[in-house]
Amino acid sequence: MTDRKLRVVVTRRLPEPIETRMSELFDARLNDSDEPMSAAELGAAIREADVLVPTLSDHIDQKLLAQAGPDMRLIANYGAGFDHIDVETARRRGITVTNTPGVLAEDTADMCMALILGVPRRISEGLTLMRSGEWHGWTPTGLTGSRIWGKRLGILGMGRIGQAVARRAKAFGLQVHYHNRRRLHQTVERDLDATYWDSLDQMLARIDILSINCPHTPATYHLLSSRRLQLMKQGAYIVNTARGEVIDENALTRALESGHIAGAGLDVFEMEPAVPAVNPRLLELPNVVLLPHMGSATTEGRIDMGEKVIMNIRTFADGHTPPDKVVPAMM
Ligand code: DGY
């Protein structure tokens, strides 16, 4: 790439061992404040850097990419999802984009499973009751939820995370159903005891709990539309640890308010730019567990993600195709 140390601009604070290693290897410009960069700051970064390391809270669009300086060759995203990056424009400008898949699948699946268990079993309502000091002891009818064992779980998106969820779900006695762009190999289906549905609509009508595990792409935007939510069984549950944009959040809010959907566990939201905006009506619903996009938030996972970023940068700088190059077919 160049003989001098690579100028790598990192837009947010990363785990300390990763920042230390980056400072050893590169001319790393770190963001000590951890404040999201403004559009002007991102513009300055992309003009000066050889490599930009953004996160999902940075919007890397056509307008920003038009400001790229002559040395900007790589956007090494810290995160698996890359829907905040205009990959096609980057490609046309000769800028490679990489991400960090794989290392966060198990952690995200754990959080997904926590919501699959926690929402139907009303854990958040139990916590609220305990904290209120209003719990007056056990009763036969108090806070009864919905049984998990034997229920049908539908997984929308059976990539690494979806499959990790399926393995966990199987151990909890859930019947696993899935819809995916491509059907899994028979041996994988057999291992997971998973039933494939070519038609999402037909699967939705038959499941008790839906887990969203697909990426946000133009094809999956509002895939869970108002019409599809209405296809779901009365009293079904929805868990989303993928991207908020896959669900029409207003339609979901209405379905929760009416009781058609019995509860939802949401770790992601439709409006998640640098400063996210969570629908206030969702915040008021008792049958909803909202988490601040923390599916991959383990110390180990966040370090692994940073290691992947470093590996992608170094491989690219050595003149090779980085292991996690994002290709348009993935979109
Ligand atoms: C990702 O990497 O895209 C995740 O959403 C971060 O948790």
Side-chain angles (χ1 to χ4, degrees), residues 55-56 77-84 99-101 104 108 161 241-243 267-268 272 292-297 302 305:
T55 72
L56 61 90
N77 186 51
Y78 181 85
F82 50 84
D83 51 328
H84 54 292
N99 66 340
T100 63
L104 37 74
T108 307
I161 299 175
T241 52
R243 282 293 183 271
D267 186 43
V268 287
E272 272 195 65
H293 201 148
M294 55 192 281
S296 69
R302 293 288 161 88
M305 286 163 71

Side-chain angles (χ1 to χ4, degrees), residues 141-164:
T141 53
L143 280 177
T144 49
S146 184
R147 177 182 286 161
I148 303 296
W149 185 88
K151 292 283 162 58
R152 289 176 156 208
L153 171 70
I155 298 179
L156 173 53
M158 203 56 143
R160 289 188 184 92
I161 299 175
Q163 291 180 40

Side-chain angles (χ1 to χ4, degrees), residues 1 313-320:
M1 221 172 167
I313 298 174
R314 294 194 80 182
T315 315
F316 185 74
D318 284 347
H320 303 291

Side-chain angles (χ1 to χ4, degrees), residues 37-106:
M37 284 186 176
S38 64
E41 286 167 329
L42 279 172
I46 206 162
R47 279 194 297 276
E48 291 159 15
D50 301 308
V51 179
L52 182 72
V53 179
T55 72
L56 61 90
S57 59
D58 303 304
H59 202 55
I60 315 291
D61 58 9
Q62 204 171 11
K63 194 166 158 216
L64 184 78
L65 287 164
Q67 302 172 53
D71 296 327
M72 165 54 54
R73 298 285 313 287
L74 175 66
I75 296 175
N77 186 51
Y78 181 85
F82 50 84
D83 51 328
H84 54 292
I85 303 174
D86 183 342
V87 178
E88 187 47 37
T89 300
R91 191 190 61 78
R92 270 191 270 113
R93 292 189 155 268
I95 301 171
T96 298
V97 177
T98 60
N99 66 340
T100 63
V103 289
L104 37 74
E106 301 299 330

